[in-house]
Amino acid sequence: MMRKSFGVKPFTYPQPVLIIASYDEDGNPDAMNAAWGGISDNKEISMCLTARHKTVQNILKRKAFTISMGDADHVTACDYVGIVSANDEKDKLKKSGFTTDKSELVDAPIINELAVCVECRLVSYDENTRRLVGEIVNVSVDERALTDGKVDVAKVKPITFDPFNNTYHVIGEKVGNAFSDGARLK
């Protein structure tokens, strides 16, 4: 068996496309794209983010943020909020085409166009490790992404970041049943 080595890299699959939204000091909504994040406890999500991001500065001031799942229908806007800094472009979110409503549970915006949103309170931020931790207060899903009251991944069309090729891919094909298929090997 032959394998190619890529060295020490943060390359894993899947890497979620997390769109992190916050309010700035003037109450304007802002968002950024991040792939280095995920669930770290039952009510906790963690991300690796540098303090120079305007979104991180906003979160540290407001103590709240939302995380929406990037999707195939909005890949251009999702990529845009990742390559343009609100430190340089004040109307970044508006230019992306995203609109927002204020969360009823945390002091942060919900991006209307993205179906799945995790509403969070800041737990901690370590500038040395760049680890930002949020308490999950609620997960809300737009009804357009539901079928018979359940989240329909085919309607959500979440995307993943491919760090090997700097591309995005849609997630969606069902290949098995969790906590069930493996029982056949018992």
Side-chain angles (χ1 to χ4, degrees):
M1 174 168 45
M2 298 292 296
R3 299 182 70 86
K4 178 178 177 173
S5 176
F6 285 87
V8 179
K9 304 275 185 190
F11 291 0
T12 61
Y13 288 127
Q15 286 196 11
V17 177
L18 306 173
I19 307 302
I20 306 158
S22 62
Y23 288 121
D24 71 11
E25 60 278 357
D26 298 321
N28 299 311
D30 177 36
M32 68 173 282
N33 178 329
W36 292 2
I39 301 302
S40 51
D41 201 351
N42 283 338
K43 295 181 180 178
E44 183 180 280
I45 193 162
S46 298
M47 296 167 290
C48 183
L49 304 170
T50 62
R52 74 176 181 272
H53 290 294
K54 179 67 172 160
T55 300
V56 172
Q57 296 165 20
N58 295 342
I59 292 168
L60 294 176
K61 289 176 187 165
R62 295 280 184 149
K63 309 294 187 213
F65 57 98
T66 61
I67 301 173
S68 295
M69 305 303 114
D71 67 31
D73 292 341
H74 301 94
V75 69
T76 300
C78 290
D79 192 54
Y80 175 78
V81 299
I83 60 176
V84 174
S85 172
N87 288 317
D88 302 322
E89 177 55 65
K90 275 291 223 193
D91 291 329
K92 170 180 152 177
L93 199 63
K94 185 177 180 180
K95 285 188 174 186
S96 75
F98 285 142
T99 61
T100 63
D101 283 321
K102 186 178 184 326
S103 164
E104 294 178 12
L105 301 173
V106 298
D107 186 20
I110 292 175
I111 297 174
N112 296 320
E113 291 74 16
L114 301 176
V116 179
C117 180
V118 181
E119 300 165 67
C120 302
R121 279 191 205 102
L122 177 65
V123 170
S124 63
Y125 180 68
D126 184 323
E127 197 166 331
N128 293 322
T129 63
R130 300 178 184 138
R131 183 174 182 229
L132 187 142
V133 179
E135 173 194 4
I136 299 170
V137 175
N138 185 47
V139 176
S140 60
V141 180
D142 190 299
E143 290 184 4
R144 73 180 184 273
L146 304 178
T147 298
D148 299 326
K150 295 182 180 179
V151 177
D152 186 336
V153 72
K155 290 181 179 178
V156 174
K157 296 191 248 180
I159 55 176
T160 183
F161 171 63
D162 171 2
F164 291 93
N165 300 294
N166 287 333
T167 56
Y168 297 110
H169 296 266
V170 70
I171 298 171
E173 180 184 352
K174 180 181 172 185
V175 296
N177 297 296
F179 307 106
S180 174
D181 290 353
R184 289 181 278 170
L185 299 178
K186 282 186 170 184

